Amino acid sequence: MRYRIGPESDNGAGDYDDSPSPTELAELMQWLENETARHKREEAAEPSLAEFAVEWDDITLERVAAFRGALNTASVEADMQAFLEANPNLLVQPLGGGHGRWVIPEKRLGSEHRADFMIGQKSTVGFEWVAVELEGPQRKMFNKNGEANQWLTHAIGQINDWRDWISRNRDYAARPRTDKGLGLVDIDGEVPGWIIMGRSSEASPETHDRRRRLARQHNIKIHSYDWLVERALARCAELTAWRRGEEMD
């Protein structure tokens, strides 16, 4: 950026200086200080999260088929919790790009709360987290009258409770595990949420608008388990196409 320091002539010409103003220099130095601190936090956090690291491309059609089978036989939420803990890469398929992905099951938030999963990915802006609440695959999102049922309402309340706790305890939550924190680096009380419950075949199209409205109001994605199946299948197709392209090259 160039800064004019001399009087402007009739044709707009004048003397220019490439030096930033004191205010701009102070802002730049503050930005550099913040970025340096963020990178240090990330470097300290990653080793302690190694046990939760997930390879996003470690997904196969056989694993998706096993997921479908588990959904068809599951009777309670705990069945899906156990399956997804054993197959965490199914949870990261809806994510976009990133420089690493982590899935932490049954994450304790103090003595009051437990998130079914905390999913993290790292991007150019740092760590980004998603708080996940599971409900049973046999539970419907809405009653016959189109209102959110007790399980969906409870799930929304759970995620909002977690956010309140994180807001009150952000320093502890965002501190690396090696520094006696929870290791959820960069997290804050506005963490996005996912609610996974029910099956798509049980969802009435008449409730879609209501679901989208709830999602916008609470910054929570509300999906059936089949959403995870669809995202995993899409990833399998992308990987197959990419590998075929590699072979042709």
Side-chain angles (χ1 to χ4, degrees):
M1 181 179 294
R2 304 179 68 204
Y3 306 88
R4 188 170 61 81
I5 58 175
E8 185 175 341
S9 66
D10 292 340
N11 63 4
D15 296 324
Y16 285 83
D17 183 8
D18 291 330
S19 301
S21 69
T23 299
E24 289 167 328
L25 183 60
E27 291 175 350
L28 176 61
M29 294 302 295
Q30 184 61 57
W31 179 83
L32 288 173
E33 183 179 334
N34 292 342
E35 284 296 289
T36 299
R38 178 172 69 83
H39 286 302
K40 286 183 178 179
R41 289 197 305 271
E42 293 171 3
E43 290 173 1
E46 283 200 46
S48 69
L49 291 172
E51 65 184 286
F52 306 113
V54 175
E55 296 296 331
W56 67 272
D57 57 351
D58 183 21
I59 188 71
T60 64
L61 290 174
E62 290 77 13
R63 188 165 296 177
V64 179
F67 185 30
R68 277 178 162 163
L71 281 171
N72 292 334
T73 59
S75 57
V76 292
E77 171 196 327
D79 295 334
M80 300 319 305
Q81 177 80 30
F83 186 88
L84 290 170
E85 283 188 27
N87 299 273
N89 58 0
L90 288 162
L91 284 167
V92 302
Q93 299 311 318
L95 301 178
H99 305 289
R101 294 172 176 81
W102 298 266
V103 177
I104 306 176
E106 298 190 299
K107 183 63 176 178
R108 298 293 312 185
L109 301 175
S111 60
E112 306 101 309
H113 307 292
R114 176 187 59 79
D116 289 331
F117 291 97
M118 295 296 297
I119 303 174
Q121 66 175 339
K122 188 180 174 185
S123 69
T124 55
V125 299
F127 280 87
E128 298 175 280
W129 296 94
V130 177
V132 181
E133 169 72 1
L134 300 182
E135 294 290 339
Q138 296 178 339
R139 288 183 170 173
K140 297 181 180 180
M141 300 176 188
F142 296 90
N143 297 324
K144 292 181 179 179
N145 61 7
E147 295 297 318
N149 68 27
Q150 58 181 323
W151 299 295
L152 178 55
T153 300
H154 171 75
I156 292 172
Q158 283 277 87
I159 292 176
N160 284 327
D161 286 344
W162 302 342
R163 289 167 170 164
D164 290 342
W165 186 92
I166 291 168
S167 293
R168 294 192 303 270
N169 302 275
R170 185 182 180 190
D171 178 71
Y172 169 57
R175 200 183 313 148
R177 296 171 73 206
T178 51
D179 193 22
K180 299 182 180 180
L182 293 185
L184 304 174
V185 176
D186 297 329
I187 200 168
D188 59 39
E190 301 301 316
V191 59
W194 290 357
I195 295 172
I196 311 296
M197 65 183 298
R199 304 300 302 271
S200 60
S201 59
E202 298 292 332
S204 169
E206 296 176 356
T207 64
H208 290 349
D209 287 343
R210 173 70 169 158
R211 193 198 321 180
R212 284 191 288 266
R213 186 160 58 253
L214 285 171
R216 288 193 301 269
Q217 289 173 349
H218 297 279
N219 189 26
I220 297 173
K221 290 185 177 181
I222 304 170
H223 288 289
S224 71
Y225 283 91
D226 297 282
W227 175 63
L228 293 177
V229 172
E230 291 164 3
R231 296 311 307 146
L233 286 174
R235 186 73 72 188
C236 286
E238 291 171 4
L239 290 170
T240 298
W242 177 77
R243 287 164 183 153
R244 286 175 179 170
E246 287 286 297
E247 292 173 357
M248 291 178 65
D249 292 341

